[in-house]
Amino acid sequence: MKYTIACFMAFLVAGEVLAQNKSEVALTAKINNILRKMTLEEKIQMLHGNALFSSAGVPRFGIPELTCDDGPLGVREEIKRFDWASANWTTDSATFLPNGSAIAATWNPAMAHKYGVVIGEEANARQKNIMLAPAFNICRMPLCGRTYEYYSEDPYLNSQLAIQSVKGIQSQHVAACIKHFAANNQELNRDSVNTIVDERALREIYFPAFKAAVQQGNAYTVMSAYNKLNGYWCSENDFLLNKVLKNEWGFKGAVMSDWSGVHHTVAAANNGLDIEMGSSGPYDQWYFAKPLLAAVKSGQVSVKTIDDKVRRILWLIYHTSMSSNHSTGSIATPAHAKAAYDIASESIVLLKNDAHLLPLKVNNIRSIAVIGDNAVRRFALGGYGAGVKAQHEITALEGIKSRFGKTASVTFAQGYKANYLANNTDAQNAGYDQPDQMLIDQAVALAKTTDIAILCIGSNREFESEGHDRKNLKLPFGEQELVNAVSAANPNTIIVIMAGAPYDLNQIKKSNHTIVWSWFNGSEAGNALADVLKGIVNPSGRLPFTFPVSLGDSPATALNTYPGNNMTADYKEGILVGYRWYDTKNIDPLYCFGYGLSYTNFTYSDLVTNKKVYKRGDKITVSLKVKNTGAVAGKEVVQFYISKLNSTVLRPGKELKAFKKIMIAPGQTAPVLINIAINDLAYFNDKLKNWMIEPGQYKILAAASSRDIRQTATFNIK
Ligand code: BGC
């Protein structure tokens, strides 16, 4: 019977693939037919922006304009066609989705998919064909201003989330635009820096999520990065765009430039860029407008090259706005708010709960002081980065009032002033890190009178912003002084930090007993946070990047490669990015990759691999048992790392190769079964330009974080 069902399923899948192939063949014929009738001028029109967020279609064949919008936090408000000012629409309020590092902290690809579906549905409602999302450059350097938009320091976690975000968006027949390809890991000098990255690091660290999003997610568009990679602008980088992306990975869609990220006509056209986008006209003077027409006429760019670009664009239009399955979409619906809530509530990381203050015992609490600017701040907008005109955004104070206000008095004190704007000069921002004693005194006076103090600190979208990096890891706005004063005044102080990137939490970790990490967590942030504090949600977020003890410990700073010399950032750490660096160099982090607590405890047992010896092409089936030994249900993120023992080449101490998030009822034991392909244990040999599987002994680690190894087993590769 099982066999019959399997045969029937295989028959259905094969039928579907056949039908898909057939329709792709028909589509190719249709596209070729249109292409034959197009003039060169019409083709060139399609290859560059005709407004801030669109490029021309071919009206006489009924091909519509290609319209795009930012991402990643949600569908951006409508701006004017030719400038960045608001179009003052009343129908463009959208769902504000949790930021990239929040999604990554869920360690749950299903959440990335949920995110994508919302983005896709809302893009359809706004008639956008391409969403400029997701963004998943590797978090190489903790100060990078866009860390909050990106996912992780780990290529595997990055890949699993990227695939699902793309699939989610594209399930709505909207193109995802994965960005920024590649090695765009700092904002300082981003449009002039030349990043020098060896091929092994590119292949093992910086490329995997892009490759996975293309090959497994079938991403329709890719955005080239602003920076140079190994001497060539990413928008005209033959290795990156032609050799790797299009030829090796088989990318069928279109590469668009980052806004005003093109530098030459002929080099960009011949080296793989398909669409030039930018910030201001005159549009017919752009590299891919009149100059490209001239370059074709003078023979520097072939018609074949132009046709390939147009073919790619038509292909993506037929898969999006002209797809027969294209829906009208929906925006800012209760279902979308619920998705934002689900993601936010899985992203919150419990960093410390030594006094078992959390979850708050409602019956004993008569009064709560909520303190800090971040308790009332909305994060949908701010700084240079794309934001969202959020239909609603529940602040921490609103969430806490709604969850605790019936049984306790909830009062607020500002605590600190967030005196920092991304577009101010350093001189204008001077003093932003100073405490405001009057606000501290008011907060202390309030905290003295309440049973509990919830201190909401961290950063905001002005302080973490596209276009600039932070200068150090210090908490801004004199927050440490506020923490010290409030914690001294109220022994039941809970520190809640809202930010998108690592900060220096040394003192807080040492002196405070209760620390919760939240993010720029979207429309439902306050509700999700309050539900975690109340125990309605058992926290299950895990850090997607390392928090170093000091900036000097982190690779780019230790090797003096940030921001680079003479506009060159040499990634000397190679593959040793994130925990790979800290592990290999034996440096203790403040909080390690993968870390996060729960209101329950889990024990691991019976780690077994299905065999002891494997060969190339095999897969390891790993089983493990995880028991919830506490009194409440909870989700555990089981992490599987692999170490190569006695390697003859440099290998990181360990590398994440699989993970699974599972809900386990109290007292229950859950079986965990995962597969790891032996081929995925290869390293890239820079000299031979090939992936190599080292024979010999390996260790598999089942872990609750990158530094909390619970079970190990060994196996061999022949
Ligand atoms: C950013 C992109 C963004 C584009 C359009 C650029 O500055 O780097 O991520 O999609 O602007 O807003």
Side-chain angles (χ1 to χ4, degrees):
M1 181 65 180
K2 254 190 189 162
Y3 178 76
T4 319
I5 293 175
C7 285
F8 182 64
M9 294 304 286
F11 179 73
L12 282 185
V13 171
E16 209 172 289
V17 170
L18 215 67
Q20 255 170 24
N21 288 346
K22 227 167 137 188
S23 74
E24 282 291 310
V25 170
L27 180 57
T28 307
K30 196 190 270 181
I31 289 171
N32 283 339
N33 192 28
I34 295 173
L35 209 58
R36 265 196 297 277
K37 296 179 197 152
M38 283 174 76
T39 65
L40 181 59
E41 284 72 11
E42 280 172 330
K43 292 175 187 172
I44 302 273
Q45 294 264 317
M46 296 186 82
L47 306 186
H48 62 87
N50 61 359
L52 259 179
F53 280 95
S54 61
S55 53
V58 206
R60 73 185 174 103
F61 298 125
I63 308 287
E65 265 190 347
L66 198 56
T67 56
C68 50
D69 208 356
D70 283 301
L73 295 175
V75 184
R76 185 189 200 136
E77 85 175 292
E78 192 67 18
I79 56 169
K80 293 192 171 146
R81 199 166 156 82
F82 298 111
D83 75 56
W84 293 86
S86 165
N88 293 317
W89 282 17
T90 52
T91 51
D92 57 347
S93 294
T95 305
F96 165 30
L97 286 144
N99 65 290
S101 45
I103 295 171
T106 69
W107 283 66
N108 188 347
M111 291 296 144
H113 192 271
K114 222 174 234 218
Y115 156 89
V117 172
V118 174
I119 291 275
E121 288 180 348
E122 302 212 349
N124 275 334
R126 292 276 310 285
Q127 298 180 345
K128 307 294 180 193
N129 316 140
I130 303 179
M131 279 305 294
L132 306 176
F136 45 75
N137 289 101
I138 284 286
C139 303
R140 167 185 185 245
M141 198 275 301
L143 303 178
C144 174
R146 292 183 92 169
T147 301
Y148 78 88
E149 276 190 77
Y150 300 153
Y151 286 154
S152 174
E153 66 187 22
D154 179 75
Y156 181 77
L157 178 59
N158 220 13
S159 303
Q160 298 311 302
L161 301 165
I163 294 166
Q164 294 306 326
S165 297
V166 168
K167 282 191 169 174
I169 295 173
Q170 297 193 167
S171 70
Q172 303 308 309
H173 305 280
V174 169
C177 181
I178 56 175
K179 63 190 190 182
H180 309 85
F181 193 52
N184 177 182
N185 313 98
Q186 64 189 59
E187 287 300 282
L188 189 57
N189 308 327
R190 65 172 172 170
D191 43 17
S192 43
V193 71
N194 177 20
T195 58
I196 305 295
V197 196
D198 64 64
E199 193 169 340
R200 180 171 180 200
L202 286 174
R203 302 272 183 184
E204 293 187 22
I205 307 291
Y206 298 97
F207 282 174
F210 286 97
K211 183 180 180 186
V214 165
Q215 295 192 328
Q216 295 173 60
N218 191 26
Y220 294 153
T221 59
V222 172
M223 186 185 290
S224 58
Y226 279 130
N227 50 291
K228 284 183 185 172
L229 174 65
N230 294 330
Y232 300 94
W233 296 111
C234 289
S235 57
E236 52 183 67
N237 197 310
D238 181 53
F239 169 75
L240 203 56
L241 305 182
N242 281 337
K243 294 205 167 75
V244 174
L245 177 66
K246 291 183 175 174
N247 295 339
E248 211 182 291
W249 298 349
F251 175 62
K252 292 208 284 288
V255 179
M256 62 166 56
S257 72
D258 201 341
W259 268 232
S260 310
V262 182
H263 299 266
H264 305 100
T265 299
V266 175
N270 287 336
N271 292 332
L273 187 75
D274 300 310
I275 310 174
E276 177 185 16
M277 294 304 291
S279 298
S280 56
Y283 296 88
D284 64 348
Q285 303 301 315
W286 283 10
Y287 294 102
F288 269 24
K290 280 184 178 159
L292 182 56
L293 187 64
V296 177
K297 288 189 170 157
S298 68
Q300 289 171 285
V301 176
S302 70
V303 173
K304 196 171 156 230
T305 300
I306 299 296
D307 283 355
D308 176 63
K309 298 181 194 309
V310 174
R311 224 178 248 121
R312 288 168 180 277
I313 297 168
L314 287 172
W315 180 82
L316 97 89
I317 290 179
Y318 273 106
H319 280 283
T320 55
S321 56
M322 290 185 73
S323 142
S324 52
N325 301 319
H326 195 248
S327 85
T328 47
S330 56
I331 194 158
T333 62
H336 291 179
K338 171 72 168 60
Y341 170 86
D342 289 347
I343 301 167
S345 59
E346 282 208 19
S347 75
I348 294 168
V349 185
L350 179 62
L351 292 177
K352 198 172 172 190
N353 195 20
D354 278 7
H356 302 287
L357 188 56
L358 295 177
L360 288 170
K361 288 63 185 177
V362 182
N363 292 342
N364 307 332
I365 298 168
R366 296 277 160 272
S367 53
I368 301 174
V370 180
I371 296 166
D373 181 81
N374 271 359
V376 291
R377 184 169 280 267
R378 293 186 163 83
F379 299 102
L381 294 169
Y384 284 123
V388 180
K389 186 161 122 191
Q391 187 245 19
H392 74 272
E393 181 180 347
I394 308 288
T395 64
L397 181 61
E398 288 164 348
I400 291 166
K401 274 189 174 158
S402 100
R403 274 26 178 194
F404 295 93
K406 284 204 182 82
T407 51
S409 77
V410 178
T411 43
F412 171 72
Q414 168 98 19
Y416 67 92
K417 266 206 200 96
N419 272 332
Y420 189 100
L421 292 177
N423 62 0
N424 270 357
T425 61
D426 284 353
Q428 287 168 324
N429 278 328
Y432 77 88
D433 51 350
Q434 294 308 306
D436 184 318
Q437 200 51 51
M438 197 186 78
L439 293 181
I440 293 184
D441 292 345
Q442 286 169 1
V444 166
L446 180 66
K448 274 186 178 156
T449 65
T450 59
D451 295 334
I452 301 283
I454 302 174
L455 199 37
C456 298
I457 56 166
S459 71
N460 58 44
R461 296 275 315 288
E462 293 290 340
F463 194 64
E464 285 180 47
S465 167
E466 180 179 331
H468 74 199
D469 295 334
R470 284 179 292 148
K471 299 210 166 40
N472 54 53
L473 288 176
K474 238 185 110 191
L475 284 166
F477 316 135
E479 290 174 359
Q480 187 62 57
E481 286 80 352
L482 175 68
V483 169
N484 297 346
V486 171
S487 310
N490 188 320
N492 294 327
T493 294
I494 297 163
I495 308 297
V496 176
I497 304 152
M498 299 166 196
Y503 281 80
D504 175 355
L505 303 183
N506 279 287
Q507 211 178 324
I508 291 181
K509 184 181 179 189
K510 199 154 84 198
S511 313
N512 287 82
H513 47 67
T514 314
I515 314 170
V516 176
W517 186 274
S518 187
W519 310 90
F520 305 141
N521 232 343
S523 285
E524 289 286 320
N527 287 336
L529 174 67
D531 283 346
V532 164
L533 298 176
K534 202 170 173 177
I536 293 168
V537 170
N538 187 352
S540 65
R542 302 289 182 262
L543 294 178
F545 33 62
T546 307
F547 281 46
V549 170
S550 81
L551 188 59
D553 289 346
S554 68
T557 308
L559 300 174
N560 193 22
T561 67
Y562 169 79
N565 299 314
N566 301 321
M567 290 301 162
T568 302
D570 188 352
Y571 288 20
K572 287 186 191 143
E573 73 283 3
I575 56 163
L576 298 183
V577 175
Y579 66 89
R580 287 166 168 75
W581 167 266
Y582 297 92
D583 284 357
T584 310
K585 301 284 175 189
N586 289 319
I587 302 169
D588 283 333
L590 184 69
Y591 286 114
C592 68
F593 174 77
Y595 175 79
L597 302 172
S598 164
Y599 294 150
T600 185
N601 290 306
F602 300 97
T603 55
Y604 292 29
S605 66
D606 302 290
L607 176 72
V608 182
T609 57
N610 62 329
K611 291 198 287 184
K612 280 283 157 212
V613 182
Y614 298 89
K615 57 182 187 330
R616 170 191 296 273
D618 282 355
K619 68 172 194 247
I620 317 172
T621 300
V622 186
S623 63
L624 174 79
K625 287 189 181 136
V626 180
K627 181 170 186 190
N628 179 346
T629 56
V632 291
K635 287 182 181 164
E636 173 67 328
V637 178
V638 185
Q639 304 164 37
F640 294 93
Y641 297 86
I642 300 274
S643 301
K644 171 75 188 81
L645 304 178
N646 310 314
S647 175
T648 53
V649 292
L650 172 77
R651 302 290 301 251
K654 65 171 105 55
E655 296 184 273
L656 184 73
K657 292 293 172 186
F659 62 87
K660 200 159 203 174
K661 191 168 200 177
I662 34 164
M663 172 62 114
I664 312 177
Q668 295 298 304
T669 299
V672 178
L673 202 67
I674 52 118
N675 291 316
I676 298 174
I678 290 295
N679 292 4
D680 290 344
L681 307 188
Y683 74 93
F684 189 81
N685 185 313
D686 241 333
K687 289 206 182 68
L688 301 175
K689 303 267 174 251
N690 213 346
W691 291 96
M692 311 290 282
I693 301 170
E694 274 190 284
Q697 224 188 3
Y698 288 75
K699 211 176 202 175
I700 179 161
L701 319 167
S705 80
S706 63
R707 294 276 171 134
D708 185 1
I709 314 301
R710 300 288 183 82
Q711 293 265 295
T712 62
T714 51
F715 62 89
N716 271 274
I717 298 182
K718 265 212 296 216

